[in-house]
């Protein structure tokens, strides 16, 4: 009797799962609670995804445990999703811990219109602080050169690096390190 009940439950479960995924891309068959995890290479799961993309195409559905995930493989698939159809892919899955820690605020955790407003504000603020005026790489190279000069000045003798400070900018230089 228990066996029949379990069998009926499994049949109902698979039927419900199949009907609820009609509009999803194809993907490998998954186990009920484990998903595709047992089928994936534990050391390099991306290799398994690349191999599956040869069978199911560059857009496929994979189950990581019970979590359904749509995977994009390859430059063209990612470009089409994030550039050509950016509005369709603007949302992201909620991460309960981050949502609780940030109370829904922050560029990394928000979605939709709230995300657009935060992004616009962040870019405007960063530009006000000098982003885009001088490339970060140039700043790092300049500061590194000052550090190298300071170390060379010790003439290979042991020294305490604590008193060395970064280059002091002159007024109007516009360098702001965040």
């Amino acid at each position: 009797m228990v066996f029949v009940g379990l069998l009926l439950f499994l049949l109902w479960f698979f039927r419900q799962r199949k009907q609820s995924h009609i509009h999803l891309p194809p993907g490998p068959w998954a186990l009920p609670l484990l998903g595709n995890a047992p089928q994936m290479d534990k050391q390099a799961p991306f290799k398994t995804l690349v191999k599956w993309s040869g069978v199911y195409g560059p857009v496929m559905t994979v189950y990581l445990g019970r979590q359904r995930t749509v995977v994009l493989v390859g430059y063209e698939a990612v470009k089409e999703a994030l550039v050509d159809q950016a509005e369709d892919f603007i949302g992201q899955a909620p991460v309960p811990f981050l949502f609780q820690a940030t109370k829904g605020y922050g560029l990394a955790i928000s979605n939709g219109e709230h995300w657009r407003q935060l992004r616009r504000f962040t870019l405007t603020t960063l530009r006000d602080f000098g982003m885009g005026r001088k490339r970060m790489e140039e700043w790092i190279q300049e500061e590194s050169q000052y550090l190298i000069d300071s170390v060379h000045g010790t003439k290979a003798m042991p020294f305490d690096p604590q008193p060395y400070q970064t280059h002091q900018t002159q007024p109007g230089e516009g360098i702001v390190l965040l």
Side-chain angles (χ1 to χ4, degrees), residues 20-58:
S20 67
H21 305 282
I22 293 171
H23 300 291
L24 290 174
W29 183 82
L31 295 173
L33 295 174
L34 302 174
N36 297 110
Q39 303 163 343
M40 297 181 82
D41 181 359
K42 306 302 182 264
Q43 302 300 320
F46 66 92
K47 289 182 180 178
T48 306
L49 295 174
V50 170
K51 184 174 82 175
W52 286 343
S53 72
V55 177
Y56 301 105

Side-chain angles (χ1 to χ4, degrees), residues 94-105 109-111 114:
V95 180
F97 169 74
L98 287 177
F99 190 82
Q100 186 176 17
T102 63
K103 296 187 178 30
Y105 295 102
I109 196 67
S110 60
N111 278 315
H114 188 209

Side-chain angles (χ1 to χ4, degrees), residues 26 33 40 47 66 81 86 112 116 118 137 139 144 152 156 167 176:
L33 295 174
M40 297 181 82
K47 289 182 180 178
R66 294 179 59 208
R116 280 191 199 92
L118 281 172
E137 180 181 348
W139 290 343
S144 299
H152 280 236
H167 168 66
V176 177

Side-chain angles (χ1 to χ4, degrees), residues 38-109:
Q39 303 163 343
M40 297 181 82
D41 181 359
K42 306 302 182 264
Q43 302 300 320
F46 66 92
K47 289 182 180 178
T48 306
L49 295 174
V50 170
K51 184 174 82 175
W52 286 343
S53 72
V55 177
Y56 301 105
V59 180
M60 64 187 146
T61 303
V62 175
Y63 288 85
L64 305 174
R66 294 179 59 208
Q67 180 67 43
R68 178 179 53 230
T69 307
V70 175
V71 178
L72 305 173
V73 178
Y75 173 78
E76 289 300 321
V78 173
K79 180 181 176 281
E80 181 181 343
L82 300 180
V83 177
D84 300 340
Q85 299 179 21
E87 288 297 317
D88 296 336
F89 289 88
I90 199 163
Q92 50 190 328
V95 180
F97 169 74
L98 287 177
F99 190 82
Q100 186 176 17
T102 63
K103 296 187 178 30
Y105 295 102
L107 194 58
I109 196 67

Side-chain angles (χ1 to χ4, degrees), residues 143 146 165-170 173:
E143 292 298 322
Y146 287 116
Q165 294 188 10
T166 60
H167 168 66
Q168 300 297 318
T169 61
Q170 301 300 319
E173 268 189 90

